[in-house]
Amino acid sequence: MYARIESECAAAGLPFRRPERIPNTRRALETAECVRRDHPDAFPALDGALFAAHFVEGRFLGDPDVLDELVTNAGADATAVRGAVEAGTLRAAVDESMRLADEIGVTGTPAWLLDGRLLLPGAQPRPTIERIVTRMQSRT
């Protein structure tokens, strides 16, 4: 599973470290949704930090303290975000997102939604993505 991601990262000159364990990322998803909704300016930084924490630094995304640190470093209020997550206020939004993903056939990440439909499940080689995007462009 990680061989293709490793290869793509190496080709792009990006660091990558295979995770030692796969965490339950529900809390991280709710944390990200809270930041996206309530602190949108901090979301891009958090999005990148979550990826780096898991795939580069080997940090455990199931740890609330790790998430608090990432939220703070991204520029959002970690106390407010943790409070919202612990109160369950993001549960319905994440459930709905997961329901929609299931409806269109997403079974894992990454998944590429192109032109309103799932065309590429999982990590795909760059030539595959380029070929599909080229085909889509030729149809417009």
Side-chain angles (χ1 to χ4, degrees):
M1 173 171 135
Y2 291 118
R4 185 172 292 143
I5 297 170
E6 262 179 332
S7 172
E8 291 294 323
C9 285
L14 298 172
F16 177 81
R17 175 178 167 178
R18 287 180 186 233
E20 294 176 13
R21 61 182 169 178
I22 306 288
N24 177 338
T25 56
R26 178 63 190 228
R27 185 180 194 100
L29 290 170
E30 291 184 18
T31 297
E33 178 59 18
C34 183
V35 171
R36 186 194 65 75
R37 183 190 70 185
D38 297 341
H39 309 277
D41 291 342
F43 181 74
L46 179 64
D47 187 41
L50 288 166
F51 180 87
H54 184 65
F55 288 113
V56 178
E57 300 161 10
R59 299 180 73 189
F60 181 52
L61 294 185
D63 182 341
D65 293 332
V66 168
L67 295 173
D68 287 351
E69 179 188 331
L70 298 176
V71 167
T72 297
N73 291 345
D77 181 346
T79 302
V81 171
R82 182 187 274 219
V85 170
E86 290 181 351
T89 58
L90 288 301
R91 198 168 293 134
V94 171
D95 285 346
E96 177 62 9
S97 176
M98 293 171 83
R99 185 194 68 73
L100 290 171
D102 184 58
E103 187 177 292
I104 63 171
V106 174
T107 57
T109 59
W112 303 90
L113 184 66
L114 302 170
D115 198 28
R117 57 200 156 106
L118 180 68
L119 294 179
L120 294 171
Q124 298 291 326
R126 183 181 190 103
T128 300
I129 294 170
E130 289 172 347
R131 186 177 63 249
I132 290 172
V133 168
T134 299
R135 277 191 214 150
M136 291 177 66
Q137 288 174 331
S138 69
R139 292 181 191 160
T140 59

